[in-house]
Amino acid sequence: MPNVGVLVPLVAIFGGLIWLLVRAIRGREVERRVIFMFIFVAVATPILFPITFQEHATPVVKNLFDRIENLPSGSTILMSFDFDPAMAPEVQPMANALSRHCLAREHKIVFMCLWATGQSLLNTTLEYVIRPDFPHLVDGVDFVNVGYKAGNEGVLNVIVSDFKKMFPTDVNGVPLDGVEIFDKVGSCKDFDLILTVGGGRPGPKEWVLFVGDPADVPIGAGVAAVVAPQLYPYYPRQVIGILGGIKGAAEYESELVKTHPRFENMEKPGLRMMGPQTLAHVVILAFIVIGNIAFFRGRRGKKTE
Amino acid sequence: MRQLVPLTITFCVGTLLIVSVFIPPLGDLERTFTLWFDIIAVFAFFLGGGNLLRVHINKLRRRKTDWGFSIVTLAGFSTMLAAGLFKIGNPGDIATAVDAPGSMFYTIFDSVVVPLGSTMYSLLAFFVASASYRAFRAKNREATLLLVAAFIILLGRTPFGLMLTEWVPDSFSLLQIPNLAIWIMNSPNLAGQRAIMIGIGLGVISMSLRLILGIERSYLGGDNA
Amino acid sequence: MSFHRGRTSSLASGLTARLAIFIIVIAFLVTPTSWSQADGPDPVLAGSDSALASLAPITSLVAEDNTYDNGNALRLIWVPSIDDRLIDSKIIGYRVYRLAGAGEPRAIAELPPGSNQYLDETVLRDSVYSYYISTLSERAEFPSNRTAAISPQREWINLDRGYLFLIALAIAGAVIYYVTVAKRGKKLFVRKIAGLEAIDDAVGRATEMGRPVLFIPGIHDMDDVQTLAALTILGRVSRTIADYESKIFMPVARSLVMTAGREVIKSSYQAAGRPDAYSDDMVNYITDEQFGYVAAVDGIMVREKPATVFLLGAFFAESLILAETGNSVGAIQIAGTARPAQLPFFIAACDFTLIGEELFAASAYLSGEPRQLGSLKGQDVGKVIAMVVMTVGVIALTFAEAWKIEFMQDILDRLSIIFSTN
Amino acid sequence: MNRSTYIVVGVVVVLFLISWILKAVSLSGEDDGYILRGFLITMSAFLTLAIFSFLYRDNPFYKFAEHLFVGVSAAFWMTQGFWSTIVGNLIPRLSAGLSGFFMVPHQPSPWNISYWIPVILGILLLMRLSAKYGWLSRWPLALIVGTTAGLNFVRYLRSDFIVQVSSTFVPLLGREPHQWQGAGAFVSQLDLSATGQLAALLTNWVIFVGVFCGIVYFFFSKEHTGVFGRASRVGIWVLMITFGASFGYTVMGRISLLVGRVTFLFRDWLELIS
């Protein structure tokens, strides 16, 4: 609930903007330092007092969310962690939200990594998200972690036709032949959905080319913001949904909380990080409007003089 | 003589490097010349560093405005130089990396250069705001396009972009602001970037030729003399 | 003179005709002749532990010279084991063995299942090698036949880059052609470039106000061609400054650029007949560190309050920091860079911006010298080539996709080969 | 400096000391070098604030931070140049003895003698300091200019010309999954959905026409009038949209940088948030 600490700066920002707007209508310009102050307050306030804005999921995000939501319970989903610590602040929130959603819908997840560095980040998700949120779920029954295998696209080439050839055991050395999930899974074709979180190479593009297309499995991707535009040509046929950058993560978290109220109190890093972004963007947009009003009023003033 | 030798060197080196792309046995030349460049650049450090010292010592001696701050520069410079050249506090031997964690060099870098650098960088958050306020004004048709494109992209990055246009029916979904923002990035933006790059490619080719052929020699004070 | 439409097209068609001839010649040259083929029949099952299910070894292993190198690579190509295609195959990978001369085999690489080629870049010219590849299961390996002995060859000309050479030749030829045409005294038309027209006024303004001109040549070293462009422009600008008796100040981020910058300004002052007015203090090295440099330049801007700021060269994130600070002290700013990512910030915050190609053309334009202007016209031929090729490519692809016209597909394939990089 | 400046500086120094003490106290439980760590964190925070103060106006704190930054970073890069280029690349090729001293692997090769060339040219560069032989410093500059021109000629030809031209081959009537089925089918399915055929075609047309007109804008040797002038105008419009869009797209990244710095102040220094 917003408290006084949030309200005061918010009132200051919006009150200030309205005041500047009134001044602009009278044709007055704004000084640089005033703009700087607004930006600082807009960024600092949500850091001190987390403010989250309700994000509406855009179709690219909603599509993936609906797919996971509508798969029958007990579907098997493959999820690959294809990123490194440098990319993690942007994409790990997506990985966490996606795993939460899948497990809440009682799907079975097979976790893997194409990047060696993905292994430890995968462990973070298992340790700090899945264990506390789903204490009753059992490793090896409700989800399996098969770990990392070297070979990049080569790995994909193999698992598209035979999963156990590349991953004979899970990360703890337990043969997959004894794991119930794999009774139904021989190759990637048998997964109901594949999720890849990353943005480098190998990443979503390789998943589409080497697995999605040949095996005709739907793929959902969570990627860093800079990579997202390159992925849109594959949407919605080859990639059924894209979470791009922190905004994508925030939209997904928002949607997740809306349909699964049990996650109301979960960590929402995406939404939290969007707080300063949204406020700052709004401030900049407001200043563009104010600038134009001041410009036109100023010009008209000159004409009539 | 003073013009001829440098012009000949530029011509020979430039031609050789262009030709080497097509002649496999010369394929290593690119790496060699890059390394040579690095070595010459290190010699230039003597000039640069010497100049830095000279400027600040002069300021100090002549008690020019702000001479006190020159002491800060000189002190910082000499401390860091000593820490780096003698690897002070380095946990390993002489072969250990100069910036090994724990060394004085690393500590100063981490607590002076890093915070100062990233704070300077973060000033951009303020300057993008002041620049958009001033520059994005509908003064004429070109400026209006600049303004509209920026506005749509910025709006598409906030939740309000979708909120404002959610009512648009699916068959016109391109007009929803988030989709429009993506379309702008993928279409006109891409086209513009590409046109700029093709121009740059030609500009560099033509300038390289002017330099190699000695037509452009203003860097030697050439055609003035 | 103006550029007649008829001449444009005749020029373009002349070039395409020449290109076509070259294409044919090169196509003949590039056609593969005979490769050294490994002898011997296909698989011989290696004897191994009979208790284990044996795997078929790979077949048709061929070692060939990697073309167009300095004799430092050999290429292996093979057909993977037939067991590799089975769903539950026991293959865990392949191991490549190499024999140097008559020596012992040494494992040089392990490859994942499904591989069918390998490039060995650790060979020496004039040495003789042969190879075999083992198919690996969990517990055993099944070697293939050995290849014929082969030694890597050096090629003197990279024919793969024939088209690259031709394109380079076409554009460079056009530039050189117009340079010579202009040298012979033919007057060439060059359109106005706003940012460059403004330079004289900007320098004059600095003189009137009694404030210095600040010249920032980007933050890259002399190995960036944008820095060179900035220095060539500096040559013209500093000449104007010397004539107007204004002051110039140029802080730089690289020691080499400092040396070169001093050389340029000194020559300009000499040429203007004012060698005494020059001083080394006009150009100062600050620091190589990107934001350290920016911090110092920002300081200089607010303290010296330059009337005119030039921001020309390779800029990165600092572009907007510098341009906004310059704007805040009321300087006229002329910017230019070939970094597409930074252009928006200059456009937003500066009075004039040289966009990409204009930065490289600036010095030629300012010189007004016929040969230099000729090179600009040569560049335009490159643009005609780009526009023609693009149009043909787009039309061919459109028809090939929409109506599956094979002839159009052929044109497209050809164009794609010519305009490919390798 | 007047008296009020001294007072402000004095206050800041006192604040610095207080912050150092408080920080060291709060760190004392977990860290052995807590006095040093406390100092370093406090210093980083004050330097951060000093840079921010420039947004208000130039002041002694900014000058201090700026001058410190320049001195330390210049030495940083010079030391890096010494260790990586001279010790890492030059000495192993020129001297076995020095390689032994610096404990870097000696790399003997008959071509190594060529590495004396940059050394000699480097020394010629230093001739700049002499009035009489200063002109010799043009030789190394000439070599560098030649190298840059030669290397960039082919590099830009490939990446900025050839690649960009060939990636502009787009099908104006669409391809899978928006395969052209004839005009009738096109009109009957006409809509403006973001994933529809019209959107895909629009993208391709805009790319082709945009690149074409963009190139026209850059033409130097033809007056921009008539049809040519109109194409060049379209070119400018495309460029303007490009600039506006890229500007808007970058804002998010820039805000993140500020978030990072403010988080450092609030969390690592002031410990207001966890």
Side-chain angles (χ1 to χ4, degrees):
Chain A
M1 269 286 94
N3 52 26
V4 182
V6 190
L7 278 178
V8 170
L10 280 187
V11 168
I13 289 177
F14 289 104
L17 286 176
I18 291 169
W19 177 64
L20 290 175
L21 192 69
V22 172
R23 271 169 47 106
I25 293 172
R26 298 201 190 121
R28 301 270 295 273
E29 294 281 346
V30 184
E31 212 211 324
R32 278 156 55 91
R33 288 177 222 176
V34 176
I35 303 177
F36 295 161
M37 211 176 65
F38 272 89
I39 288 290
F40 186 82
V41 176
V43 169
T45 311
I47 297 177
L48 273 182
F49 315 99
I51 302 171
T52 52
F53 294 86
Q54 180 73 48
E55 288 277 349
H56 284 236
T58 43
V60 273
V61 173
K62 188 79 165 66
N63 214 13
L64 178 58
F65 183 89
D66 290 347
R67 177 65 69 106
I68 294 179
E69 189 64 27
N70 298 333
L71 280 174
S73 288
S75 302
T76 25
I77 293 176
L78 176 67
M79 186 158 166
S80 187
F81 280 54
D82 309 330
F83 56 98
D84 58 5
M87 230 188 292
E90 228 182 328
V91 297
Q92 188 120 31
M94 303 171 190
N96 294 347
L98 287 167
S99 348
R100 278 200 176 99
H101 189 199
C102 294
L103 292 176
R105 286 287 300 115
E106 294 170 0
H107 300 317
K108 311 282 179 200
I109 311 184
V110 176
F111 291 103
M112 62 169 280
C113 321
L114 285 180
W115 288 36
T117 43
Q119 183 68 66
S120 66
L121 299 158
L122 168 55
N123 286 336
T124 323
T125 297
L126 293 176
E127 194 67 19
Y128 296 102
V129 175
I130 296 181
R131 184 172 299 179
D133 277 17
F134 304 91
H136 59 284
L137 296 187
V138 184
D139 187 352
V141 177
D142 302 289
F143 59 90
V144 195
N145 173 10
V146 298
Y148 160 78
K149 280 283 179 313
N152 300 334
E153 294 92 327
V155 174
L156 299 181
N157 246 338
V158 176
I159 62 173
V160 70
S161 54
D162 185 356
F163 198 87
K164 283 176 227 167
K165 182 158 143 195
M166 203 71 214
F167 295 97
T169 68
D170 77 356
V171 77
N172 305 315
V174 179
L176 293 188
D177 285 329
V179 175
E180 203 191 313
I181 297 176
F182 281 90
D183 289 352
K184 290 186 295 179
V185 174
S187 72
C188 282
K189 290 189 186 74
D190 304 318
F191 287 109
D192 298 296
L193 177 66
I194 294 177
L195 299 170
T196 156
V197 182
R201 199 199 147 118
K205 216 167 170 174
E206 283 68 32
W207 275 101
V208 170
L209 298 178
F210 290 86
V211 177
D213 281 355
D216 199 22
V217 198
I219 288 188
V223 295
V226 283
V227 194
Q230 297 163 25
L231 219 57
Y232 278 97
Y234 297 104
Y235 172 84
R237 231 173 49 96
Q238 292 143 297
V239 174
I240 57 162
I242 303 165
L243 317 188
I246 276 300
K247 182 153 181 357
E251 288 176 16
Y252 204 92
E253 285 167 2
S254 221
E255 204 67 16
L256 187 58
V257 173
K258 214 159 48 180
T259 29
H260 296 266
R262 56 176 289 201
F263 292 119
E264 190 62 60
N265 294 320
M266 70 170 184
E267 266 283 289
K268 292 179 281 267
L271 281 170
R272 209 188 55 225
M273 279 152 92
M274 274 309 283
Q277 292 287 359
T278 307
L279 265 189
H281 275 74
V282 168
V283 167
I284 292 177
L285 286 168
F287 273 114
I288 294 178
V289 173
I290 291 173
N292 277 287
I293 292 175
F295 171 68
F296 282 109
R297 298 298 298 194
R299 201 160 68 170
R300 186 182 297 175
K302 264 178 214 146
K303 271 183 199 156
T304 49
E305 264 166 25
Chain B
M1 177 69 180
R2 288 187 185 192
Q3 284 256 343
L4 189 67
V5 176
L7 286 178
T8 315
I9 294 178
T10 306
F11 177 78
C12 294
V13 172
T15 317
L16 185 68
L17 285 172
I18 292 177
V19 170
S20 76
V21 174
F22 304 98
I23 301 185
L26 298 180
D28 260 357
L29 277 185
E30 175 172 348
R31 224 179 40 215
T32 311
F33 271 84
T34 309
L35 208 54
W36 284 15
F37 172 85
D38 287 345
I39 294 169
I40 298 177
V42 172
F43 275 90
F45 272 148
F46 286 103
L47 294 172
N51 184 63
L52 186 80
L53 290 176
R54 187 180 59 89
V55 166
H56 286 284
I57 291 172
N58 272 346
K59 248 187 183 176
L60 199 59
R61 275 218 310 248
R62 300 194 190 137
R63 295 284 190 277
K64 285 192 190 164
T65 337
D66 290 341
W67 59 270
F69 294 104
S70 290
I71 301 177
V72 179
T73 301
L74 292 171
F77 184 79
S78 39
T79 313
M80 193 63 169
L81 200 65
L85 289 183
F86 304 116
K87 296 196 172 172
I88 298 172
N90 199 305
D93 54 16
I94 194 167
T96 322
V98 58
D99 50 0
S103 63
M104 185 172 164
F105 190 77
Y106 175 82
T107 309
I108 299 181
F109 177 75
D110 200 45
S111 50
V112 175
V113 178
V114 170
L116 282 173
S118 42
T119 312
M120 269 321 281
Y121 196 2
S122 75
L123 292 187
L124 274 172
F126 300 100
F127 290 139
V128 286
S130 61
S132 8
Y133 168 72
R134 208 184 57 247
F136 294 154
R137 296 189 174 185
K139 288 176 210 157
N140 50 39
R141 200 175 293 170
E142 282 79 26
T144 310
L145 283 170
L146 188 77
L147 157 74
V148 170
F151 205 87
I152 291 173
I153 301 281
L154 283 168
L155 203 54
R157 300 233 130 189
T158 66
F160 309 109
L162 190 62
M163 261 185 229
L164 286 175
T165 48
E166 219 165 8
W167 53 272
V168 174
D170 255 2
S171 52
F172 286 89
S173 59
L174 184 62
L175 298 179
Q176 291 181 345
I177 285 180
N179 290 332
L180 196 57
I182 294 161
W183 185 82
I184 291 177
M185 288 309 289
N186 277 339
S187 310
N189 173 58
L190 195 71
Q193 302 273 5
R194 220 168 250 168
I196 294 172
M197 286 172 83
I198 291 174
I200 290 171
L202 291 168
V204 170
I205 291 171
S206 168
M207 203 183 83
S208 300
L209 278 175
R210 290 200 299 270
L211 288 166
I212 291 171
L213 298 176
I215 298 171
E216 173 68 76
R217 50 178 89 168
S218 60
Y219 70 101
L220 291 174
D223 42 50
N224 292 324
Chain C
M1 72 153 228
S2 71
F3 204 137
H4 291 291
R5 190 164 306 162
R7 292 207 42 193
T8 320
S9 53
S10 73
L11 179 74
S13 65
L15 274 167
T16 18
R18 262 174 285 168
L19 267 178
I21 297 169
F22 271 112
I23 290 164
I24 296 165
V25 174
I26 295 291
F28 273 111
L29 289 173
V30 175
T31 312
T33 49
S34 61
W35 285 322
S36 56
Q37 202 80 28
D39 51 322
D42 283 345
V44 176
L45 274 176
S48 63
D49 197 337
S50 55
L52 291 164
S54 69
L55 295 176
I58 59 117
T59 54
S60 313
L61 176 64
V62 171
E64 64 187 35
D65 181 40
N66 183 50
T67 44
Y68 311 131
D69 60 11
N70 192 23
N72 45 17
L74 290 171
R75 183 179 293 284
L76 300 178
I77 300 174
W78 63 89
V79 176
S81 159
I82 38 172
D83 288 318
D84 206 354
R85 290 161 202 266
L86 301 179
I87 291 297
D88 55 349
S89 98
K90 298 283 179 267
I91 292 179
I92 60 165
Y94 298 104
R95 187 174 290 149
V96 181
Y97 286 92
R98 182 176 74 193
L99 296 87
E104 286 295 303
R106 275 183 45 210
I108 54 166
E110 281 203 25
L111 308 170
S115 326
N116 62 358
Q117 57 169 317
Y118 178 71
L119 186 67
D120 181 6
E121 290 178 293
T122 57
V123 292
L124 295 173
R125 197 171 68 237
D126 303 331
S127 304
V128 181
Y129 301 93
S130 57
Y131 295 83
Y132 68 90
I133 293 178
S134 285
T135 307
L136 305 179
S137 75
E138 281 294 335
R139 269 163 289 183
E141 46 183 276
F142 305 89
S144 69
N145 274 2
R146 226 188 261 177
T147 65
I150 182 170
S151 59
Q153 298 297 312
R154 157 153 80 187
E155 288 80 18
W156 284 98
I157 290 182
N158 187 338
L159 294 179
D160 268 354
R161 292 186 177 157
Y163 293 124
L164 181 69
F165 182 73
L166 294 181
I167 296 169
L169 201 66
I171 299 174
V175 171
I176 294 171
Y177 171 74
Y178 278 106
V179 166
T180 40
V181 166
K183 198 176 164 188
R184 276 192 244 120
K186 192 155 187 178
K187 271 187 90 69
L188 298 172
F189 169 82
V190 172
R191 74 161 162 101
K192 277 196 162 62
I193 301 177
L196 298 173
E197 293 290 314
I199 287 185
D200 273 356
D201 291 346
V203 174
R205 178 173 182 263
T207 320
E208 276 167 31
M209 298 173 79
R211 292 203 208 149
V213 172
L214 195 64
F215 193 100
I216 318 280
I219 60 159
H220 259 181
D221 212 333
M222 298 279 287
D223 58 348
D224 190 313
V225 61
Q226 298 175 70
T227 312
L228 295 191
L231 287 174
T232 57
I233 301 171
L234 174 69
R236 319 286 172 205
V237 171
S238 59
R239 175 68 198 263
T240 315
I241 290 170
D243 287 340
Y244 280 41
E245 303 189 20
S246 313
K247 274 188 297 180
I248 182 171
F249 192 66
M250 175 173 165
V252 298
R254 306 284 164 163
S255 305
L256 267 177
V257 180
M258 177 187 83
T259 315
R262 285 178 174 172
E263 200 64 39
V264 170
I265 298 181
K266 193 177 175 183
S267 321
S268 297
Y269 271 73
Q270 272 166 354
R274 303 180 61 223
D276 300 337
Y278 169 80
S279 137
D280 268 359
D281 287 336
M282 289 171 173
V283 187
N284 274 318
Y285 166 78
I286 307 283
T287 168
D288 277 54
E289 168 72 27
Q290 180 183 15
F291 290 108
Y293 175 70
V294 175
V297 174
D298 266 8
I300 292 168
M301 281 180 176
V302 294
R303 282 160 224 152
E304 307 285 332
K305 301 218 174 352
T308 305
V309 176
F310 290 93
L311 297 154
L312 302 169
F315 287 90
F316 297 81
E318 68 283 355
S319 59
L320 189 64
I321 304 183
L322 295 174
E324 274 295 289
T325 312
N327 183 280
S328 75
V329 300
I332 281 214
Q333 303 198 92
I334 299 177
T337 185
R339 304 257 329 154
Q342 302 306 327
L343 280 167
F345 303 114
F346 281 150
I347 296 272
C350 295
D351 301 277
F352 299 96
T353 306
L354 303 175
I355 303 169
E357 189 178 7
E358 294 173 340
L359 173 73
F360 300 108
S363 157
Y365 179 89
L366 289 172
S367 76
E369 199 210 331
R371 289 190 303 166
Q372 299 244 23
L373 295 180
S375 75
L376 296 187
K377 198 171 170 106
Q379 262 163 265
D380 284 354
V381 176
K383 281 168 218 161
V384 174
I385 295 179
M387 288 154 82
V388 170
V389 170
M390 261 168 44
T391 312
V392 174
V394 166
I395 291 173
L397 179 57
T398 303
F399 280 84
E401 283 288 339
W403 292 288
K404 308 285 172 218
I405 300 176
E406 227 165 84
F407 157 68
M408 287 290 178
Q409 186 66 46
D410 288 346
I411 296 181
L412 181 72
D413 291 345
R414 241 316 124 72
L415 269 185
S416 306
I417 292 170
I418 298 174
F419 274 71
S420 70
T421 50
N422 37 33
Chain D
M1 285 209 270
N2 53 24
R3 229 177 91 189
S4 60
T5 317
Y6 282 113
I7 294 172
V8 173
V9 172
V11 170
V12 170
V13 171
V14 171
L15 283 177
F16 183 90
L17 291 175
I18 295 173
S19 156
W20 179 7
I21 294 168
L22 290 177
K23 195 76 212 171
V25 169
S26 100
L27 286 171
S28 60
E30 48 195 85
D31 204 331
D32 278 346
Y34 59 90
I35 294 182
L36 178 66
R37 286 257 306 140
F39 174 77
L40 292 177
I41 292 181
T42 307
M43 186 174 66
S44 299
F46 272 73
L47 290 176
T48 301
L49 292 174
I51 297 286
F52 279 146
S53 73
F54 179 73
L55 291 171
Y56 181 66
R57 66 159 191 229
D58 192 26
N59 63 73
F61 302 107
Y62 178 75
K63 282 183 193 167
F64 175 85
E66 171 208 322
H67 280 80
L68 182 69
F69 198 1
V70 167
V72 170
S73 62
F76 173 82
W77 286 104
M78 287 181 191
T79 337
Q80 289 280 10
F82 173 76
W83 288 107
S84 68
T85 304
I86 300 290
V87 176
N89 275 324
L90 187 63
I91 285 179
R93 291 192 165 86
L94 291 188
S95 159
L98 279 175
S99 302
F101 176 77
F102 285 110
M103 295 168 64
V104 284
H106 183 52
Q107 303 172 9
S109 151
W111 296 102
N112 275 348
I113 195 156
S114 70
Y115 281 87
W116 284 107
I117 297 176
V119 173
I120 293 167
L121 288 172
I123 293 168
L124 287 186
L125 193 72
L126 299 183
M127 291 293 170
R128 188 78 193 38
L129 299 171
S130 134
K132 199 170 164 198
Y133 297 104
W135 55 275
L136 277 174
S137 69
R138 286 180 178 179
W139 292 16
L141 289 180
L143 178 99
I144 287 166
V145 170
T147 308
T148 307
L151 288 181
N152 284 300
F153 181 97
V154 180
R155 213 177 269 164
Y156 276 85
L157 175 66
R158 278 176 168 184
S159 68
D160 281 40
F161 185 77
I162 294 182
V163 172
Q164 300 308 324
V165 168
S166 59
S167 43
T168 307
F169 298 165
V170 286
L172 295 179
L173 293 177
R175 60 150 65 109
E176 276 294 325
H178 298 294
Q179 184 64 42
W180 181 252
Q181 311 282 4
F186 176 69
V187 173
S188 69
Q189 301 167 2
L190 198 60
D191 68 2
L192 202 58
S193 90
T195 54
Q197 183 166 23
L198 184 61
L201 292 196
L202 218 52
T203 300
N204 289 346
W205 276 93
V206 167
I207 288 179
F208 175 58
V209 175
V211 177
F212 197 93
C213 294
I215 297 178
V216 168
Y217 166 76
F218 284 111
F219 253 82
F220 293 119
S221 60
K222 189 160 164 55
E223 195 95 63
H224 289 188
T225 50
V227 180
F228 200 80
R230 249 170 283 161
S232 132
R233 258 192 110 65
V234 174
I236 300 180
W237 295 344
V238 172
L239 292 182
M240 284 299 151
I241 295 176
T242 303
F243 294 143
S246 328
F247 190 111
Y249 197 74
T250 342
V251 169
M252 201 167 213
R254 305 310 193 214
I255 303 290
S256 299
L257 299 169
L258 183 57
V259 171
R261 280 332 281 168
V262 174
T263 309
F264 164 79
L265 288 179
F266 287 168
R267 190 186 57 198
D268 299 15
W269 180 46
L270 296 175
E271 297 176 26
L272 289 175
I273 50 173
S274 52

